Amino acid sequence: MYRIRFHGRGGQGMKTASRILGTAFFLEGYEVQDAPRYGAERRGAPIFAYVRAAKQTIHERGVIQQPDLVIIADESLASVSSAGTLIGIDKHCVLLIVSNESPESWKHRLNLDCTVLTLAYEQLDIHQISYAGIVCTGAAARLTGIISNETLQRAIKQELAAFDESVVANNLHQALDAYKKMAEHEACVQKSQEISADNYQAPEWITLPFDDANISAPAIHASANSVQIKTGLWRSFRPVIDYQHCKHCWWICSTYCPDGAINVDDSGQPQIDYDHCKGCMVCVAQCPSHAISIIPEQQAEVAAPEVTAIPGDKR
Amino acid sequence: MNRVLLTGNGAAAWGARLAQAEYIPAFPITPQTEIIETLAQWIDQDKMTARLVTLESEHSMITAAAAAAVTGVRVFSATSSQGLLYAMEMIYTVSGWRAPFVLVNVSRGLASPITLEPDHNDVLAARDSGCLQIHCSTCQEVLDNTLIAYRLAEDPRVRLPVIVNLDGFYLSFTREPVLLPEIESVKNFIGEYNPENMRFRAHEPMSHAVAVLGGAPYSYFRYQTHLAVENGLAVYDELAKEFEQQFGREYGVIENYFADDADYVFVMMDSFATKAKDAVDKLRATGWAIGLLRPRLIRPFPAERFRTLLSGKKAVAVIDQNISMGMGGVLHSELCTALYGQPQTPEIVASFIGGLGGRDITVEEFFEIAKSIRHADEINQTPSPRLLYTETELREIRKLQSLANVKLHGFGETS
């Protein structure tokens, strides 16, 4: 059985990526299971999706714990432990990261002994960033060595049937480009050994101890802890205020911001709290003097490297 | 027949479409919403002829469903978790009307704490309501059993609501290959809804849901409902046979996976049972005589069949994805009730609680469960009920409690 996991952010098309790959396997005569996994869905939050493909009926279910191929569409997730990108990666696994950094650098940084591949994107190309999912699908299809160019195209057309021709054409272009770029790594994904009932690691079961109600009631006693949750991490694009055009109205952007992430300082200047701005762009739409623009996070890092959403976050 | 990739939600929607449901009262709730969204889209695109009405709550939704059903209309509805609980007053009430309709429940753990992923405490809250329950383990089963459910609900020997259950996430959002039957062959199988003496005629009014005072008439009506639910077993058998003849797919009241020649048996419900199949395959590959029994019908409970199928077995592990607070696993209790005092009954019927709120059960845990019941058989002592829970999971909860400023005094002593 092939076990493949896609990691990305809500809005990057991870669910669609898994569905296209699932359909491609299915068209190649495989039994398939594909599913997205998210909690309260929201744009920008880490999500993942997975695909199982095998020649016989698939009985295994749920999140893939021992992947053969892991794809990280958003490199900033590699270091976010709650995103679970690295779970179950062992020596036989292939890790593909959409990144301009070298595979060696990632291998060293993440302390991995598996095959690491990268797929470079053109710097600061907003257009290409929004195609992260389809790029990953094209690459993954080639890495399995199972899916032909024609099958990949058929799967994309089938899964994107509801979209107009130009959208499909753009997706085909991006996917086939990635498919081509991965030619030298074709079929590098190897199926893992199935766990045997003779030789396995026993679960470290415990008997759950009783806790008093003041411990075991699901209550949060910490106050104001939402400040500690850096929701700015969900952003793939950020709003930037152009103070040349800002009329210092003092209230519009800060009032409309649904997260209270824009504060007006004593001099009447609005300041965006990038630790908590989720990148919804409501402020951009509301500003009557059109003084707020949108730039990709990568570009923001180049322009102002000191303003990063999270300490230690690559961006 | 066309073989396509469908989610469990998609399969349920196809079931309603192919059964030609005419009225769909609806209220959204995760992880069920995709079902009514799909149906709404089909109706909008003229791919399906039905009236979909969004109600103000699940309570009203079930009332509307049953009210329509007793006027002679074929009804479909769907809900999940808190929605099913909110509807519970009417779930009990409308089975008493003897209103036949199909309700899909997409299982999701109950609050509190609130969650999204599956366990079966939601659908089991409707256990004693008089609704029949069919539990599915694959997307194909969801579609096929939605079709069978209409026949079961509308059969005069039953004439009751039927709940078709599928697990949230593990089926609801998971695509698998599903054979889509042609609508003509489904029409041939299901036929027209014949409401017999239920109708809506202005000149010939009838009253449903009458009141009775005094225990004797009440007892009559309640026991009649009980007998009708029990009839569900034989009727399901007939329908499954007919379904198999027409569509080639076999459905038994209990799915039997290598249990016939097994010494040890897993018993569990719904989609996690396919994981047990995987474990059975792997255990058999190393010489174990082990199998799986999965009840498809929970109401009526197939007690007699369990007695027959488990007769002479060495040990049974019941894995409950639910918990009755202060008692334990519901399926375990019910199975023990069915087996108690019967000749040749297995002496070891062990209880495991796993998969609450979608907590995964790994294949290694199935291996460990198998070992545990084999050991129990060797020493002839039933093990205490066990929650599948690891040291790492406790460490995680301690971390979360620290973040939540829970004062963990006494933590050292209690763990």
Side-chain angles (χ1 to χ4, degrees), chain A residues 47-59:
Chain A
I47 81 142
F48 64 95
Y50 53 86
V51 180
R52 289 189 173 90
K55 281 291 184 185
Q56 49 309 104
T57 306
I58 299 172
H59 290 316

Side-chain angles (χ1 to χ4, degrees), chain A residues 56 145 241 270 272:
Chain A
Q56 49 309 104
I241 300 171
I272 298 177

